[in-house]
Amino acid sequence: MRASYLFTSESVSEGHPDKVCDRISDEIVDLFFREGPKQGLDPWAIRAACETLATTNKVVIAGETRGPLLPKEQLEQVIRNAIKDIGYEQDGFHWKTADIDILLHEQSADIAQGVDALQPGTNKEEGAGDQGIMFGYATNETPELMPAPLHYAHKILRLISEARHAGKEKVLGPDSKSQVTVQYENGKPVGVREIVVSHQHLIEDMTSNQVRERVEPYVRAALPEGWINGKTIWHINPTGKFFIGGPDGDSGLTGRKIIVDTYGGAAPHGGGAFSGKDPTKVDRSAAYAARYLAKNIVAAGLADKATLQLSYAIGVARPLSIYIDTHGTGKVSEDKLEQAVAESMDLTPRGIRKHLDLNKPIYARTSSYGHFGRTPDADGGFSWEKTDLAETLKKAV
């Protein structure tokens, strides 16, 4: 492990074109989990896999679903409400006037037969919704047990967004990006070398310096005291102008910001996106379980950092493999941790959904500022961020 180095991660706001699409896709998943029980459907049977494309005054949704019967008008209203909540009321992308195409269809019977559980006359368990590899990661370099570069890149944009929604920054638009380059010494983050913030502005002739006057207080509030110093280099709207933003400035697609969603490049990623997928898709639920286990390993003091991999095959319930790397920081051997993890949590798709209570409308809130490093909500949102398995893992090893 290198002792001293620079590492960079980026974040994007909820108004970034790709994040608009992630939000819309997750709003559809939440809608299915809200409306399904109202129509007498078992939440365990609900399926949704929604992809969204957004461009100038156009939104297209496609995917496979199984669940409540919903009129297109209801789906369309949920989409418009999401765009309105993000803050888009500009000529090129407006929640009222955007043209919306909804192209959802029934889930493939071939996929369903691999996922559905307990068919009459069989002992079949609920299988994974697809094959794949999923990674979880945790490090004690921040209280949230997340990598510092990504954590602070998210925090900068989140603070600005909160101020914008509160009406304090009316000249700033919904679309923005941040990037933070952190200096590590002796393996620990100690300061920020480079800061990048590109933020849409709603007054066309605003200069980069004027935008910096707006955003700099939030950057300083987001970062630990002393991390900004005379060596820190700032890049605020480095192109000089960012007036046209959102899907009018660049097209968006669901699932294009998976590194932003996870660990900012500090850890591996399996490659599958999260947004728009119900928790039978192990791309999502097993990645949440992997983060939950890695975080609890670090929270238990069994390692300073941990990477955990799970692998699955479509239609097969049990993970094919469990792999843990503590990067030389483990207090016990990795093989003991792998055994403890397998004993401490049911890692079948159904076991994950039950343990983390995932059959709920809790997904739209995950679509921006990261799926990890968040505070668990009282209604079950971000349940994978709990550290309630730490004592169980300690006893298991």
Side-chain angles (χ1 to χ4, degrees):
M1 295 174 61
R2 293 178 63 188
S4 299
Y5 55 92
L6 298 174
F7 195 85
T8 304
S9 293
E10 70 157 344
S11 179
V12 296
S13 70
E14 76 265 32
H16 184 280
D18 296 329
K19 283 291 149 199
V20 171
C21 294
D22 286 344
R23 169 72 178 271
I24 290 170
S25 295
D26 275 336
E27 290 283 2
I28 300 301
V29 177
D30 282 357
L31 180 64
F32 269 64
F33 277 113
R34 280 197 304 271
E35 297 299 316
K38 293 179 184 178
Q39 296 185 16
L41 298 178
D42 183 354
W44 288 92
I46 289 173
R47 304 285 185 265
C50 306
E51 308 285 346
T52 303
L53 175 148
T55 186
T56 301
N57 267 333
K58 182 76 173 182
V59 176
V60 180
I61 298 197
E64 55 171 26
T65 65
R66 186 178 75 189
L69 298 175
L70 302 174
K72 282 197 172 183
E73 294 77 12
Q74 186 177 10
L75 292 164
E76 182 178 316
Q77 191 58 53
V78 165
I79 295 165
R80 294 192 187 280
N81 289 345
I83 298 170
K84 181 180 181 182
D85 184 63
I86 291 168
Y88 278 113
E89 294 185 338
Q90 55 196 46
D91 291 341
F93 197 70
H94 198 296
W95 64 272
K96 276 186 180 180
T97 58
D99 183 35
I100 298 175
D101 285 348
I102 299 172
L103 307 172
L104 299 175
H105 61 84
E106 286 290 317
Q107 183 183 45
S108 161
D110 293 345
I111 294 175
Q113 71 179 354
V115 176
D116 291 341
L118 304 178
Q119 302 296 330
T122 74
N123 293 318
K124 179 182 175 298
E125 293 182 274
E126 178 182 298
D130 202 350
Q131 72 175 45
I133 56 173
M134 296 82 206
F135 287 92
Y137 179 72
T139 172
N140 63 6
E141 62 189 55
T142 62
E144 294 77 11
L145 304 185
M146 287 290 287
L150 180 67
H151 173 72
Y152 293 115
H154 281 325
K155 191 173 181 180
I156 289 168
L157 295 187
R158 195 167 63 246
L159 291 179
I160 298 173
S161 174
E162 289 169 357
R164 184 175 62 82
H165 283 292
K168 296 178 182 178
E169 300 296 345
K170 296 181 180 179
V171 299
L172 297 180
D175 193 358
S176 60
K177 303 177 79 172
S178 67
Q179 190 166 283
V180 177
T181 300
V182 172
Q183 174 72 56
Y184 284 77
E185 293 179 4
N186 298 319
K188 300 294 183 183
V190 297
V192 173
R193 179 69 62 86
E194 308 264 353
I195 296 170
V196 183
V197 178
S198 296
H199 211 297
Q200 182 187 14
H201 46 89
L202 302 180
I203 298 174
E204 187 168 2
D205 60 357
M206 282 186 76
T207 66
S208 297
N209 286 336
Q210 288 172 324
V211 174
R212 177 169 175 170
E213 289 175 6
R214 294 287 183 174
V215 305
E216 183 172 343
Y218 302 103
V219 175
R220 292 186 178 275
L223 294 170
E225 187 176 353
W227 277 33
I228 297 175
N229 54 46
K231 295 182 179 179
T232 303
I233 300 172
W234 294 70
H235 308 272
I236 308 299
N237 281 20
T239 63
K241 184 179 179 181
F242 187 4
F243 179 66
I244 301 172
D248 187 31
D250 191 8
S251 61
L253 288 171
T254 300
R256 280 206 299 202
K257 287 292 178 285
I258 56 178
I259 298 302
V260 171
D261 288 341
T262 53
Y263 306 104
H269 187 282
F274 303 156
S275 290
K277 297 176 182 177
D278 74 75
T280 66
K281 278 69 174 178
V282 285
D283 279 344
R284 181 169 222 159
S285 55
Y288 289 173
R291 160 63 179 174
Y292 174 68
L293 291 166
K295 185 174 184 179
N296 276 271
I297 287 170
V298 176
L302 298 173
D304 293 337
K305 63 175 64 177
T307 299
L308 187 147
Q309 186 205 58
L310 301 172
S311 67
Y312 290 85
I314 188 168
V316 178
R318 301 285 167 180
L320 308 186
S321 65
I322 301 171
Y323 167 81
I324 296 175
D325 182 2
T326 58
H327 309 277
T329 70
K331 309 304 187 286
V332 297
S333 65
E334 277 99 345
D335 58 344
K336 285 187 177 181
L337 284 174
E338 290 163 359
Q339 184 177 353
V341 160
E343 293 173 357
S344 301
M345 183 176 177
D346 180 354
L347 290 170
T348 65
R350 190 174 187 89
I352 293 171
R353 293 165 76 192
K354 183 177 181 180
H355 190 108
L356 298 178
D357 199 12
L358 297 179
N359 295 331
K360 289 182 173 182
I362 55 173
Y363 297 105
R365 70 193 73 171
T366 69
S367 62
S368 55
Y369 312 115
H371 292 245
F372 308 129
R374 309 286 289 273
T375 302
D377 294 324
D379 65 353
F382 300 105
S383 60
W384 50 93
E385 289 299 310
K386 294 180 180 179
T387 54
D388 54 355
L389 202 67
E391 290 302 318
T392 301
L393 288 172
K394 277 197 229 180
K395 291 177 181 177
V397 298

